[in-house]
Amino acid sequence: MKKLINDPRAVVDESVDGFGRAHADLVTVHIDPLFITRKQAPKPGKVGLVSGGGSGHEPLHAGYVGFGMLDAAVPGAVFTSPTPDQIIPATVAANSGAGVVHIVKNYTGDVLNFETAAEMAQAEGVDVRTVLVNDDVAVEDSLYTAGRRGVGGTVLVEKIAGAAAERGDDLDAVTAIGRRVNENVRTMGVALSACTVPHAGVPSFELGDDEIEIGIGIHGEPGRHRIPMENADGITDRLLAPILADLSPAPGDKVLLFVNGMGGTPASELYIVYRHAVGVLEAAGLVVERSLVGNYITALEMQGASISVLRLDDEMTALWDAPVHTPALRWGV
Amino acid sequence: MKKLINDPRAVVDESVDGFGRAHADLVTVHIDPLFITRKQAPKPGKVGLVSGGGSGHEPLHAGYVGFGMLDAAVPGAVFTSPTPDQIIPATVAANSGAGVVHIVKNYTGDVLNFETAAEMAQAEGVDVRTVLVNDDVAVEDSLYTAGRRGVGGTVLVEKIAGAAAERGDDLDAVTAIGRRVNENVRTMGVALSACTVPHAGVPSFELGDDEIEIGIGIHGEPGRHRIPMENADGITDRLLAPILADLSPAPGDKVLLFVNGMGGTPASELYIVYRHAVGVLEAAGLVVERSLVGNYITALEMQGASISVLRLDDEMTALWDAPVHTPALRWGV
């Protein structure tokens, strides 16, 4: 696997450095320990939002630091949780006195390290709440976690909770809306190819030339099963069926449909998936009110996609539509 | 090569259909012949902008249809020019009476078909001008064209000329600013892997496991030379040297630095390239005033990147900053 990198052990540091230079109008990169904050200090009274996790899922999370979304992001090594010594100063920096919400994807390492950091930050006087994201319907337990994994829904939690914080909701309210998004979103993914962690140098797993992995996670960890390659419509059906079974939306429900690329799949293919997915949802009587299509939570250069369906209510829709200005998501400003 | 597609011959139609559904608030997809327009009819007196070319470079061009950029886009088959019978109605639809500018990447098929369409549209009473984009410094002639190829600079031409049209510039002025952007931008790319045209089913070319192609085009057509794999900084130097030699900027010049992904390369790697590139430009005394990093003109799932450097003047910078609202590029609105 060829990569546009220098020292494989310097990938995160150099990438975040480049990111900070490219978006110097929006973010500040803090090194040693490594975390990213908005360029502007938090507005007094605004609840702070902090997320983080292993690197390799870009633009998640640093790409969502900015107005209307995160106050700080904490990147770990590739596919490795960030440490409490990074999360604590990010939490302190995000606190304007109104408290901080940690948005944590459900992986054992992330959960432990954010928990430890939350306790330490509390000891420094920061009121911390946690929104745990576990939207992946593919598997109950996985290589990296007990319970469902946090995947595509994380982007939607960060956007909607971020908008709630920006409009002035208090700590309880921001936490509640973040959890409400998580409770109403389900996701499932597929891999057509493996990905390679830079310092490992070999693919995380092997897939045959005519084989795909249904229910893949965002680290190439095993999903539900491997099947022979199918066409896009068939794969889309396989992803949507367990999502709809688990979410059990009612006819007439309004939803946000999010077709996410895993990093190595071109936009044209994501739109082919979107096309069939919107048809399936409409056939189930659902109203696709909002859409998002693109590479928003990735697994390095993996080829594949995930589909997320979020059941909307009017408040969530309004918060989704609210202005956002981050490196990776921007509208209304 | 596995792809998220159905019938390989239906890739463009299905993808554009999905695109139209996902962005129904912004665009209208016209079928038979296939072209995409803004949802709103052109404002009377506004110069129309039309671009197009082979599919497989998404989000180019359909992703740039919308306020502040294109009025219409015309997708051909994958890596194949659109035909005059598509370009003519797109041109007529984009015309509000103030004339239309065709933005054409310099490939023989595109140039011929846009020329034919321009003549036919003129015969129907539309005043048509052409901005030919030929920013690729890699090769003088290539498999698909006489003279330099049009690549990454096309995105910058469409944005800046689009903003000029939106502020009310007349046909001569929009044409002139489009040409000025082309004259001041240079691009060069690298491929780490090949890409596969869906209906061909086999990679467009072969690259060894430890080999890269310097000066690649956006169709996998040959570049300057193949070399053994190098690190990101070395590759970045190899792309920037011919760009700077050809552009010959003066110390103190302001530039826009555009690091573009070819489709299969993750954002983290593009930022590693950006990091070194900005250092090289600053060492040459240049001021990097604006940046763009991401997948904006791609070659299907090819792994690789291109670097574009645009020498800015104050007017170009203001037009770059002007509001834009398209599926793939949005700010200020």
Side-chain angles (χ1 to χ4, degrees), chain B residues 270-283:
Chain B
L270 301 181
Y271 283 116
I272 289 175
V273 170
Y274 179 88
R275 171 182 180 270
H276 188 65
V278 79
V280 170
L281 297 182
E282 286 176 359

Side-chain angles (χ1 to χ4, degrees), chain A residues 156-219:
Chain A
L156 312 181
V157 172
E158 293 180 2
K159 169 65 183 84
I160 292 173
E166 209 69 64
R167 76 176 174 188
D169 284 15
D170 67 15
L171 189 57
D172 284 337
V174 174
T175 307
I177 189 109
R179 289 177 182 160
R180 197 160 96 227
V181 175
N182 182 57
E183 283 156 17
N184 284 282
V185 63
R186 302 291 187 282
T187 300
M188 190 147 147
V190 61
L192 275 61
S193 75
C195 56
T196 300
V197 174
H199 60 262
V202 292
S204 302
F205 61 108
E206 295 286 343
L207 263 182
D209 280 348
D210 195 36
E211 207 178 31
I212 60 176
E213 176 97 21
I214 296 280
I216 196 84
I218 53 173
H219 309 92

Side-chain angles (χ1 to χ4, degrees), chain B residues 144-174:
Chain B
Y144 295 112
T145 198
R148 289 180 168 183
R149 301 172 297 209
V151 285
T154 313
V155 179
L156 312 181
V157 172
E158 291 180 3
K159 169 66 183 82
I160 292 173
E166 210 69 65
R167 76 175 174 189
D169 283 17
D170 67 15
L171 189 58
D172 283 336
V174 174

Side-chain angles (χ1 to χ4, degrees), chain A residues 2-6 14-15 17 23 192 208 211 229 231-233 268-269 271 275 330-333, chain B residues 2-6 14-15 17 23 192 208 211 229 231-233 268-269 271 275 303 330-333:
Chain A
K2 290 169 277 189
K3 290 175 183 286
L4 282 168
I5 63 174
N6 297 301
E14 291 187 355
S15 179
D17 184 38
H23 305 290
L192 275 61
E211 207 178 31
M229 184 65 195
N231 69 19
D233 289 357
S268 51
E269 298 181 26
Y271 283 115
R275 172 182 180 269
R330 180 172 182 185
W331 55 71
V333 61
Chain B
K2 289 169 278 189
K3 290 175 182 285
L4 283 169
I5 63 174
N6 298 301
E14 291 187 356
S15 179
D17 184 38
H23 305 291
L192 276 61
E211 207 177 35
M229 184 63 194
N231 69 19
D233 289 357
S268 52
E269 298 180 25
Y271 283 116
R275 171 182 180 270
Q303 291 185 308
R330 182 173 179 183
W331 55 70
V333 63

